[in-house]
Every structure is written in structure tokens, then in C-alpha cells.
Amino acid sequence: MTYELTDAFIVKADLQQTWSFFATADNLPAITPPWLRFTVTTPGPIHIQQDTHIAYTIRWAGLPIHWRTRIIDWTPPRQFIDLQLNGPYTLWHHQHTFEPVADGTLCRDRVLYKIPFGILGQMMNGLVVRKQLTDIFEFRRKVIAERLGWVQAVQQEVEIRKV
């Protein structure tokens, strides 16, 4: 089963400032909730571009989970896509898009994800994963707003649906 997570909001920063923030790997730990204990394990400094690989570790239920992604699309300053190569999901395809608007920059996230373990994975999504992802993206939205200046939510809440 594939799920789609979406989020959309406007920040006060212009397109170039917004792109610069998202294009800086050092900002990844700041936009990840502390309870995940996110650590970038790729030696730095990391220059994100097409085909950049980024390795990191998170903790889930106290257990370390090693995750590695690759930038499969890098279209400054409008879009980039990271794809999980190794990690907890069968699929993790995260598209970030940025569009200049009158009040700043419209930021959109679209994540397609699949959880392993068939029906058990679907149950885990309903019981745990969906809520955790919503919490992670709400935290992320809050930190981004603090760093770049909040304007408004385009989408009131992070949404997850089956596709």
C-alpha cells in the first residue's frame, strides 16, 4: 500500500533565502524533532546537488535506524527530490517544491511512502506511523516558520492518504 503525505505553507522569506535554507544539510537536524535523535553520518561539509547521497541515523523506540537518501532531482531554486536508498520504508520519495508568491515563498512537500510487512505494515501505519509522520512534519513546519518567518498555512494540517 502506498501513502501520500502532503503539506503546504507560505514563509516570509523570498525564494532564494528559502532555497538556501533547504539546500543546507546542516539544517536537517534542526527541522527534525529531538525525540528522533537525528544525526547526519555523512562526513561534512555536505554540498547538496544532483546525486548527493546523505546518510543519517534516527532512533525509533530507542533503536538506531540507519537511513540513506539520494538526491534524484535538483532543480534550483524550484525543486528537489530525495529518495530513500536504505532505511525503514519500502519507498520514501520526498518532493520539495518552492514557488515565489506575493507574501514570500510557497513551500510544498509531497512524500510517497510504503511500509514493509504487508498487512502488518498497514496496521502499523494506522496505529503508529501516520501519527508520527504528522507530528514530524508539524514540528518541521514550526521550525521552518521560526527560521524563515511565518506567513500562513495553505493546507491547515499535514495530510496523509492512500494512493
Side-chain angles (χ1 to χ4, degrees), residues 89-152:
Y89 295 91
T90 304
L91 169 68
W92 182 269
H93 178 277
H94 187 176
Q95 177 185 30
H96 313 253
T97 61
F98 310 97
E99 178 183 335
V101 294
D103 293 333
T105 303
L106 170 60
C107 303
R108 291 186 191 273
D109 288 287
R110 180 177 185 250
V111 178
L112 296 175
Y113 72 94
K114 289 183 185 179
I115 301 173
F117 311 119
I119 192 76
L120 181 59
Q122 290 176 40
M123 290 171 49
M124 285 179 59
N125 186 67
L127 295 172
V128 179
V129 176
R130 179 185 188 97
K131 170 77 168 109
Q132 288 183 342
L133 286 176
T134 300
D135 290 348
I136 290 165
F137 274 77
E138 286 175 356
F139 177 88
R140 184 176 176 275
R141 182 193 275 198
K142 178 180 174 281
V143 172
I144 291 166
E146 289 168 356
R147 301 282 176 102
L148 297 177
W150 182 249
V151 176
Q152 71 181 42

Side-chain angles (χ1 to χ4, degrees), residues 13-143:
D14 68 24
L15 180 63
Q16 203 53 52
Q17 291 170 303
T18 303
W19 178 263
S20 180
F21 177 82
F22 281 90
T24 303
D26 289 345
N27 289 327
L28 288 169
I31 63 173
T32 306
W35 58 267
L36 282 172
R37 295 180 18 202
F38 180 98
T39 306
V40 176
T41 57
T42 299
I46 300 170
H47 178 68
I48 300 178
Q49 59 189 3
Q50 183 76 30
D51 293 322
T52 295
H53 289 232
I54 303 173
Y56 44 93
T57 302
I58 60 171
R59 291 214 169 250
W60 189 75
L63 302 172
I65 296 175
H66 303 285
W67 197 322
R68 200 177 83 198
T69 59
R70 179 170 69 97
I71 304 299
I72 63 168
D73 179 36
W74 186 255
T75 312
R78 299 299 182 126
Q79 171 177 279
F80 70 96
I81 298 172
D82 55 273
L83 178 69
Q84 175 194 282
L85 300 176
N86 301 95
Y89 295 91
T90 304
L91 169 68
W92 182 269
H93 178 277
H94 187 176
Q95 177 185 30
H96 313 253
T97 61
F98 310 97
E99 178 183 335
V101 294
D103 293 333
T105 303
L106 170 60
C107 303
R108 291 186 191 273
D109 288 287
R110 180 177 185 250
V111 178
L112 296 175
Y113 72 94
K114 289 183 185 179
I115 301 173
F117 311 119
I119 192 76
L120 181 59
Q122 290 176 40
M123 290 171 49
M124 285 179 59
N125 186 67
L127 295 172
V128 179
V129 176
R130 179 185 188 97
K131 170 77 168 109
Q132 288 183 342
L133 286 176
T134 300
D135 290 348
I136 290 165
F137 274 77
E138 286 175 356
F139 177 88
R140 184 176 176 275
R141 182 193 275 198
K142 178 180 174 281
V143 172

